[in-house]
Amino acid sequence: MKPTNTIKKLWLCALTISALGFSACEKEDAPECSGAPAIDRVTLPTKRTEAFTTGNLADWVIIQGSNFCNVSSVMFNDVEANLSDAYVTSTEITVRIPRVVPKNVTNKVTVTSEAGTAETPYTLSIPPIEVAGLSNEYASAGQRVAVVGKNFDLYGISPTSGKVLWNGAPVTVTRATGDSVYFTVPANATPGATVKIVDANNVEKAVPGRYKDDRNIIFSYDTGTSVWNTNTFITQGPVPTPINGAFIRVNQRIGAWAWTEFSATNTTLSNTIIANAANYVLRFEVNTLKPFSTNVIKFSIDGDPGGSGANTYLWKPLTPFNTRGQWSTVTIKLSSLLTVPLDPNKSQHEFKFLFHGDGALDADMSFDNFRIVPKD
């Protein structure tokens, strides 16, 4: 064989092997999707190897499987996820569950592409509407107030859908968020009025509390009684603007563990309340011109606020509490305060409300309308 022919043959062989190798590489790099999508499991970004069959609205999840190329939709029940925020590969879909209440609950997640559809069992926890009460039960007629709670947006309570009923009559919703529904107190509002909210499906839910509830008022600041029959801290305003006549304003520096009573008296308490404390709450209005950021406010009934802490509720600000000059209603479960049953044979019971705790506080807090009322 001539050398030139040998070289030619070797060169042709090399080309053949190269072509075969290229052909084999093309086959391995063929499209990763070759059929309808299939779902293996639903996981979490922080637990990618663990399968989950339940979740919550607004959770981020990873759908693992195969053939996710050209996915056109991902459905949780009958609600479509937003794929523009999703990260999709051939084997995973990282997507956020929509924060929308489904109308048709199938308890499934469904993935659809041009090649077909796959589904797997997946149950979502649907949170209910939670209604805490009015932001200010003593707001004046014509003043803006809010029903406060959770998940109002999920149930379609907005200026264009849903309702607020004041003593059964609808009032205009001026603004709504997930945790607040705003409206204006009617001009003809009278004490004792009740409020309800109605969602987009026409389901009513009562708002705890009554407007300007004056049942079982503990301290009557209008008669000049605050701390043991004195007028300590009592003011008529004008700063802040009074909410219901005279009120308490504590505007001073309170040292750490300085015993500072701002309301204290002996008064009667019905045996119905004593026997059914779990059915009652302590409710009042508060206004802060400076944040309540440290120290502790103690509410005590026949208690030991300076010692064992019996029958004493501690209000500790985990984060600064600040109403920014607006009056706001606060509710405390009476059962959280009364750790020891009250004596029904006592003619009067000792109430002490005071600052006493760690951390010096530059206080400017006002209080009014302390009352014990049914929790509704």
Side-chain angles (χ1 to χ4, degrees):
M1 182 179 293
K2 294 181 179 180
T4 53
N5 290 336
T6 302
I7 292 172
K8 283 182 180 180
K9 288 183 179 180
L10 289 172
W11 181 72
L12 289 171
C13 183
L15 285 176
T16 302
I17 292 171
S18 177
L20 289 171
F22 181 76
S23 176
C25 182
E26 279 189 325
K27 187 174 183 180
E28 289 176 359
D29 286 344
E32 296 173 303
C33 296
S34 57
I39 300 173
D40 295 335
R41 61 187 174 187
V42 180
T43 70
L44 298 178
T46 55
K47 297 180 179 179
R48 297 173 62 91
T49 60
E50 186 176 347
F52 291 85
T53 59
T54 61
N56 303 300
L57 301 183
D59 280 354
W60 281 96
V61 297
I62 301 175
I63 303 169
Q64 295 178 341
S66 58
N67 296 325
F68 292 154
C69 301
N70 301 316
V71 165
S72 57
S73 74
V74 175
M75 307 283 289
F76 293 88
N77 296 300
D78 63 348
V79 180
E80 186 170 358
N82 183 3
L83 290 184
S84 64
D85 295 332
Y87 179 72
V88 182
T89 70
S90 62
T91 58
E92 288 189 343
I93 303 171
T94 302
V95 66
R96 192 172 195 179
I97 300 171
R99 193 173 181 275
V100 177
V101 176
K103 289 183 170 56
N104 179 29
V105 178
T106 62
N107 291 326
K108 291 179 181 178
V109 56
T110 305
V111 175
T112 301
S113 74
E114 294 177 354
T117 297
E119 61 184 28
T120 192
Y122 197 76
T123 302
L124 287 176
S125 175
I126 310 299
I129 288 180
E130 296 181 27
V131 183
L134 289 177
S135 59
N136 179 5
E137 287 188 4
Y138 270 74
S140 301
Q143 185 176 346
R144 191 175 79 156
V145 71
V147 178
V148 294
K150 294 180 181 179
N151 305 318
F152 296 138
D153 55 332
L154 288 179
Y155 292 87
I157 301 177
S158 72
T160 57
S161 65
K163 301 174 186 175
V164 172
L165 302 179
W166 183 279
N167 261 358
V171 294
T172 300
V173 174
T174 58
R175 180 171 173 259
T177 65
D179 58 13
S180 301
V181 180
Y182 296 88
F183 64 96
T184 300
V185 177
N188 61 350
T190 56
T194 59
V195 181
K196 293 181 180 179
I197 57 171
V198 185
D199 68 20
N201 295 316
N202 212 34
V203 177
E204 293 185 1
K205 194 169 183 65
V207 177
R210 298 182 184 180
Y211 178 62
K212 291 192 174 182
D213 196 345
D214 58 0
R215 294 172 295 174
N216 301 317
I217 296 288
I218 301 167
F219 296 98
S220 179
Y221 301 130
D222 291 317
T223 61
T225 300
S226 57
V227 181
W228 304 119
N229 296 319
T230 69
N231 63 357
T232 305
F233 298 122
I234 292 180
T235 180
Q236 296 277 355
V239 178
T241 302
I243 192 173
N244 186 34
F247 58 94
I248 290 290
R249 183 183 182 189
V250 182
N251 182 20
Q252 65 183 51
R253 185 181 186 278
I254 300 173
W257 300 107
W259 186 276
T260 308
E261 296 178 0
F262 57 86
S263 290
T265 191
N266 290 312
T267 189
T268 59
L269 194 62
S270 78
N271 284 343
T272 300
I273 296 175
I274 293 172
N276 301 279
N279 297 329
Y280 288 82
V281 297
L282 172 67
R283 190 168 282 156
F284 57 94
E285 279 63 51
V286 62
N287 187 317
T288 62
L289 295 176
K290 297 177 182 178
F292 173 35
S293 56
T294 187
N295 213 286
V296 179
I297 297 177
K298 298 182 176 182
F299 301 95
S300 174
I301 303 177
D302 287 348
D304 186 15
S308 67
N311 282 5
T312 302
Y313 180 86
L314 307 183
W315 186 7
K316 298 180 181 180
L318 298 178
T319 58
F321 176 84
N322 192 3
T323 70
R324 295 176 174 81
Q326 302 297 314
W327 287 98
S328 179
T329 298
V330 174
T331 299
I332 298 171
K333 293 179 181 178
L334 197 58
S335 58
S336 298
L337 192 160
L338 298 178
T339 56
V340 179
L342 298 179
D343 182 357
N345 296 315
K346 291 183 68 172
S347 59
Q348 291 191 320
H349 299 271
E350 182 185 75
F351 286 75
K352 285 183 182 177
F353 300 161
L354 65 147
F355 289 89
H356 184 238
D358 193 20
L361 175 66
D362 184 15
D364 195 346
M365 297 183 70
S366 299
F367 305 87
D368 203 0
N369 310 313
F370 285 102
R371 55 199 182 274
I372 293 178
V373 293
K375 68 178 184 180
D376 299 323

